[in-house]
Amino acid sequence: GNPRKFARVARRVAQHKPIVAIKAGRSAAGRRAGQSHTAAAAASDDVVDALFQQAGVVRVTAMEQMLDAARVLSEQPLPSGPRVAIIGNSGGPGILSADAAEGAGLDVVTLTADTEAAVRAAVPSAASCQNPIDLGAAVRPDQLANALTAVLAAPEVDAVLTVYTDTAVTPTDEVMDRIGAVAGGQHKPVVATRVGAPAGSITSGTRTLPVFTFPEPAAAALAVAVRYADIRRARPLAVERPTGVDLAAARRLVTTALRAGTEWLPHESVRELLAGYGVPVSPQRVARGCEAAVAAAAELGYPVAVKLAAPGIHKSDRGGVRLDIADEAQLRTVAAELGGAVEEQLLLQPMAAAGTEVIVGAVQHEQFGPVVMLGAGGVLADLLGDRTFRLAPIASDEAEAMIGELKLAKLLDGYRGRPVVSRAALADVVARVAMLVDDLPEVAELDLNPLICTADGLCAVDARIRLAPATPRPDPLMRRL
């Protein structure tokens, strides 16, 4: 009913007690399709993940996973990091455990030479002392306990996953009891698997060791503990209003447009609204017909880009974008091809320097209120799906964290000779867009796509804004229900 209040309360609670959530509705059925890239993307389940992440809630995808996570969180200490060591008596399950751990986001750490030597000293007959460790089918209970103690003492290890398979030559119950005894005296978490046996627990002293049937759910539950430990270490970031924002002028512009029945803001109004929030937008001129286009290009300077000026359309889908127009003759040809002689308005801009294209967007989500998105931009925005979300408004540090979550972050850092782009400058734009959509709930959808990022700065060369009357946030009827 009130996602913002939920997020604030949950964030405080999560500093002391883990909150694990499962939410239905992950499928495509019932999702709202929007006309902008951001609105379409925000209809996905990723927005739920964004809410939970900011609220300090750990999300799982299945009821069994929720119960598994609860066992580990309640029975073991929190890990100090994602580095996990895997130790067992069979190579195959050990490798499967390593795959499961990495798939769950854990780091199957490379053990130091000292740690490997300590394991070898404990079990001279071990098949492999590298992670995942295979102690061999004939390992004795005391040897396994000594090896586990050595691994838990390793500074490069944050948590241990034991994977034991019953054999005819070792007393399995004694092995499991020794694992429980070692784990009970440690400050690092241990999660055990007894392959094929019923799930259960082993109590040693005041601590209980969770035992799983297979390594995959054990690794997934340990990964939840790692995520919650990250939440405990993090602290909520303060949101500061960006400088140079003219909120009063922005409200007047939006109110006037809505009274006039405007849905998609014209380009001049889009540029004015964004400039009022300090968002860098390319210079532009709107022209109808060839002569007006020629005059506009002369004012802007060649080379220019020419686009269809109708708001609310995907210009590239209609063949409505022409780049690197070098002179008047070429411009007249392009203007005629695009219908600019009579029917269509054309948008002219100076050609922007080549750079990394990103999309920054925002939307008023029907459940969660204002949401901001950052992702790979241009024509790849929908194709790659490389994007991340937050609930608005956000702190600049949170905006920088969004950048780090993207695959294209490497491109911004100079990957393979590309120019290095200021992450701080991009984070500032994201924070300003988030503040805009939080200040102005009538801004239903906003796309900066692409926002071209170069070493010299950032510039939005295409921007769209859709307005709609705002509904109360949160819906008072929803709250009463």
Side-chain angles (χ1 to χ4, degrees):
N2 190 338
R4 293 190 183 197
K5 186 173 183 180
F6 168 81
R8 290 195 301 269
V9 174
R11 188 73 185 178
R12 293 197 297 268
V13 172
Q15 295 300 317
H16 309 283
K17 185 182 293 288
I19 304 172
V20 183
I22 182 169
K23 183 183 182 300
R26 296 174 59 88
S27 65
R31 291 179 181 169
R32 178 178 62 88
Q35 296 185 58
S36 67
H37 294 284
T38 304
S44 72
D45 201 56
D46 295 335
V47 178
V48 179
D49 290 333
L51 168 67
F52 284 156
Q53 179 173 331
Q54 285 180 272
V57 176
V58 183
R59 187 180 186 185
V60 296
T61 58
M63 295 179 69
E64 185 176 12
Q65 189 182 7
M66 171 180 275
L67 298 175
D68 291 342
R71 292 177 62 200
V72 174
L73 287 167
S74 64
E75 296 172 0
Q76 290 295 304
L78 290 176
S80 57
R83 302 171 301 175
V84 63
I86 299 166
I87 184 169
N89 68 336
S90 180
I95 295 172
L96 290 173
S97 302
D99 290 343
E102 290 192 345
L106 300 173
D107 176 16
V108 182
V109 67
T110 300
L111 302 177
T112 65
D114 289 343
T115 302
E116 291 186 13
V119 173
R120 180 66 68 185
V123 188
S125 61
S128 173
C129 295
Q130 296 180 336
N131 196 16
I133 300 168
D134 179 6
L135 299 178
V139 62
R140 300 194 310 269
D142 61 315
Q143 290 179 317
L144 192 150
N146 291 337
L148 177 58
T149 301
V151 172
L152 284 165
E156 72 271 20
V157 174
D158 299 315
V160 175
L161 175 61
T162 69
V163 187
Y164 190 82
T165 305
D166 290 13
T167 70
V169 295
T170 54
T172 301
D173 289 341
E174 183 180 349
V175 167
M176 299 305 297
D177 288 340
R178 294 296 292 268
I179 293 174
V182 172
Q186 299 290 328
H187 65 280
K188 296 179 181 179
V190 178
V191 178
T193 298
R194 184 174 176 179
V195 178
S201 298
I202 298 173
T203 301
S204 177
T206 59
R207 187 176 299 167
T208 301
L209 173 71
V211 181
F212 291 83
T213 303
F214 298 108
E216 291 83 3
L222 184 57
V224 171
V226 169
R227 285 154 55 196
Y228 176 61
D230 290 340
I231 290 170
R232 284 280 290 265
R233 283 189 291 270
R235 289 293 181 268
L237 301 171
V239 177
E240 298 181 0
R241 288 194 66 83
T243 59
V245 172
D246 191 346
L247 177 57
R251 288 195 188 281
R252 286 194 299 271
L253 187 155
V254 169
T255 300
T256 301
L258 281 174
R259 287 175 179 170
T262 302
E263 181 181 15
W264 290 96
L265 279 181
H267 289 283
E268 300 93 332
S269 298
V270 169
R271 176 178 170 78
E272 181 182 349
L273 183 57
L274 292 173
Y277 273 79
V279 176
V281 184
S282 171
Q284 60 189 31
R285 298 290 185 274
V286 176
R288 186 185 295 275
C290 286
E291 298 306 323
V294 169
E299 186 178 351
L300 293 170
Y302 290 97
V304 296
V306 182
K307 309 173 185 179
L308 293 176
I313 64 168
H314 295 302
K315 299 177 182 63
S316 57
D317 292 347
R318 291 181 51 181
V321 178
R322 305 295 173 85
L323 305 178
D324 284 312
I325 308 304
D327 53 37
E328 180 179 335
Q330 188 179 0
L331 175 59
R332 288 182 178 277
T333 300
V334 167
E337 290 174 353
L338 292 178
V342 179
E343 299 90 352
E344 294 276 12
Q345 281 191 325
L346 301 178
L347 178 70
L348 286 84
Q349 298 171 319
M351 277 299 301
T356 301
E357 296 186 354
V358 305
I359 178 173
V360 179
V363 66
Q364 299 292 338
H365 194 280
E366 64 268 27
Q367 284 184 311
F368 302 125
V371 174
V372 65
M373 182 186 82
L374 173 67
V379 296
L380 300 179
D382 295 326
L383 182 63
L384 296 182
D386 182 21
R387 56 204 176 206
T388 184
F389 296 86
R390 291 295 190 278
L391 305 182
I394 59 172
S396 57
D397 290 347
E398 188 74 14
E400 292 206 35
M402 293 175 69
I403 298 171
E405 294 170 10
L406 299 176
K407 297 182 181 67
L408 68 74
K410 292 182 179 180
L411 299 180
L412 302 174
D413 297 334
Y415 181 75
R416 293 195 173 182
R418 281 178 171 264
V420 177
V421 175
S422 169
R423 288 198 181 196
L426 178 55
D428 181 64
V429 171
V430 176
R432 289 176 181 275
V433 169
M435 186 61 68
L436 185 156
V437 77
D438 185 61
D439 285 343
L440 305 169
E442 298 84 3
V443 175
E445 302 177 31
L446 183 155
D447 269 358
L448 307 180
N449 183 38
L451 178 73
I452 298 181
C453 306
T454 69
D456 297 326
L458 282 64
C459 182
V461 298
D462 200 359
R464 300 190 300 159
I465 293 177
R466 185 176 71 85
L467 303 181
T471 56
R473 297 182 311 192
D475 186 299
L477 179 59
M478 177 77 75
R479 287 302 297 154
R480 285 197 294 272
L481 289 174

